[in-house]
Every structure is written in structure tokens, then in C-alpha cells.
Amino acid sequence: EVQLVESGGGLVKPGGSLRLSCAASGFTFSTYTMNWVRQAPGKGLQWVSSITSSGSYIYYADSVKGRFTISRDNAKNSLYLQMNSLRAEDTAVYYCARTSVTTSTNWFDPWGQGTLVTVSS
Amino acid sequence: DIQMTQSPSSLSASVGDRVTITCRAGQNISSYLNWYQQKPGKAPKVLIYGASSLQSGVPSRFRGSGSGTDFTLTISSLQPEDFATYYCQQSYRTLMYTFGQGTKLEIK
């Protein structure tokens, strides 16, 4: 079964740091682009960051650029999101998601169950 | 960034109704448009990818159409389990994805 399981969320003070992890299983992790998407309480989905299969290409949403770092360890089938200088507006459920592809398009499937990050003093 | 605008933001309908949700892209995205369904407390799941391809296991009452800048998601006959929030997503700008703001489908 293809599965993604996030961990590492919690309560952190403004200006603090947190590292999220996403453990992948059931597929060849090293061949897929992976992504982080977040959802603030009661709000919509916001793409956060993506990393290609080898880690050669990395992109961030402007709202997190310079503060968040996406990385992966293909030997451990794991995706990470290092979050520094956290702000109240970073409070959200963070999902990891795999990019599925055909020759003509791409989409996110599957998604993990999410991990909640709360930034508050 | 490619802006994605969904309408309506919310919608009330009854079981058995036919409903349509629209999504407009800020520029031509060809058929790089995906639709997701999200239920409260759950992760999103893909319904339609590539504007019109039905994800495996998704009921055939869901249909996606459109290309360029204008897209629609149609549910032909609403079932109780379809009441959820729906999001469109552009995947034209690979690695710089954007979602629509969502459409909440509620029971009338």
C-alpha cells in the first residue's frame, strides 16, 4: 500500500524552529517529486514547497522562502521540512504529497494524514 | 504565480441534484488542471487530473471538463458522501503549484 506518514508537528513559539518528517512506503520513493502543502485552520490549501526526485530542483512559495528548507533522504524514504523563524501565520496542518505523473500531466496523489503546527506564545 | 479562482465559494444542494463548480486560471494552463475533494479532518484526495481524467476508484458521476483558462467539475447526481470542499489546482507551472480557494458543498 502506498502510504505517507507525517510527524514532527507541535506547539512552538514565534521565532522558533521545527522539523517535519514524512515517511514514505509502498513505492519507489527515489523516483518521485515530493511536496509540502499546508492548510491554516478553516482555510484553503496552500502549496509550500517541492523537491525533485534527486533533490536537484527545489521551489518554495514566496511566503516561506528564506525561512523553510525542504530536503529528502532517498536511502531512508523520507521527506523533510525544516521550518525556521516561525510566525503565527505559519500555523496550519502540513501535508506531504507525492507528485504522480503521466506523459502529459501531473497531480498530487497520495497525501499523508497531515501534522499540525501551532505557532503561539 | 498563476492565480486560480473558483466559483462559487459555497453551494447548497440536495441529494440527487446536478452541481457544477467552475475554476478559472489567470493564464492559459492547457489541461494542467486537477480537482480534489476534502472532507473535514481528512487529507484531500484527487478526483480528476489533467482536466478530465477520472482517478481510479472515483465514481463516474464526477466529470471534469475545460481547457485553457476555464474549467468545470460536474457532479451528475449528488450523493450524501459528496458533501465536502472541492479544490482546483494548476500543475502547468510544475514545482510552483497553486490551488483555488475552495468550494464548500453543503446539504440544502
Side-chain angles (χ1 to χ4, degrees):
Chain A
E1 178 193 6
V2 175
Q3 193 171 16
L4 299 170
V5 179
E6 302 94 336
S7 60
L11 175 63
V12 61
K13 289 180 167 54
S17 299
L18 210 55
R19 189 195 196 205
L20 306 184
S21 299
C22 172
S25 59
F27 65 100
T28 307
F29 179 75
S30 62
T31 64
Y32 285 88
T33 292
M34 297 296 297
N35 313 276
W36 288 100
V37 177
R38 69 184 181 183
Q39 186 170 37
K43 303 297 184 182
L45 302 171
Q46 181 190 22
W47 168 77
V48 172
S49 183
S50 298
I51 183 169
T52 53
S53 57
S54 64
S56 297
Y57 295 94
I58 288 173
Y59 291 86
Y60 299 98
D62 286 345
S63 57
V64 307
K65 203 173 295 183
R67 300 187 298 122
F68 290 11
T69 302
I70 191 173
S71 62
R72 64 191 297 160
D73 185 336
N74 287 341
K76 294 184 177 180
N77 292 335
S78 292
L79 175 72
Y80 306 102
L81 187 67
Q82 177 67 44
M83 304 185 295
N84 298 331
S85 303
L86 282 161
R87 307 166 180 167
E89 54 265 36
D90 296 318
T91 294
V93 174
Y94 285 73
Y95 296 99
C96 67
R98 184 186 75 176
T99 298
S100 291
V101 298
T102 65
T103 53
S104 58
T105 192
N106 60 97
W107 65 98
F108 290 178
D109 179 66
W111 298 58
Q113 86 287 353
T115 188
L116 176 63
V117 173
T118 303
V119 184
S120 174
S121 55
Chain B
D1 290 7
I2 300 177
Q3 296 299 313
M4 305 300 294
T5 304
Q6 284 181 237
S7 62
S9 296
S10 63
L11 175 61
S12 293
S14 301
V15 173
D17 283 355
R18 176 187 179 94
V19 301
T20 298
I21 299 169
T22 65
C23 179
R24 174 163 289 176
Q27 67 177 72
N28 187 337
I29 59 170
S30 185
S31 295
Y32 289 85
L33 191 284
N34 309 312
W35 290 99
Y36 299 87
Q37 178 193 65
Q38 186 181 33
K39 296 182 179 179
K42 301 294 187 182
K45 74 166 195 174
V46 65
L47 300 174
I48 303 287
Y49 61 90
S52 60
S53 296
L54 191 67
Q55 173 73 348
S56 176
V58 174
S60 59
R61 62 180 179 274
F62 291 93
R63 188 173 74 89
S65 63
S67 66
T69 60
D70 294 314
F71 302 87
T72 60
L73 173 69
T74 300
I75 310 173
S76 59
S77 178
L78 273 174
Q79 298 302 299
E81 61 267 29
D82 299 337
F83 293 95
T85 300
Y86 294 85
Y87 295 93
C88 62
Q89 177 207 28
Q90 68 80 19
S91 58
Y92 178 83
R93 190 73 60 83
T94 307
L95 305 182
M96 296 186 74
Y97 304 93
T98 45
F99 291 89
Q101 80 277 17
T103 296
K104 187 173 184 179
L105 178 54
E106 299 174 305
I107 300 173
K108 184 182 289 185

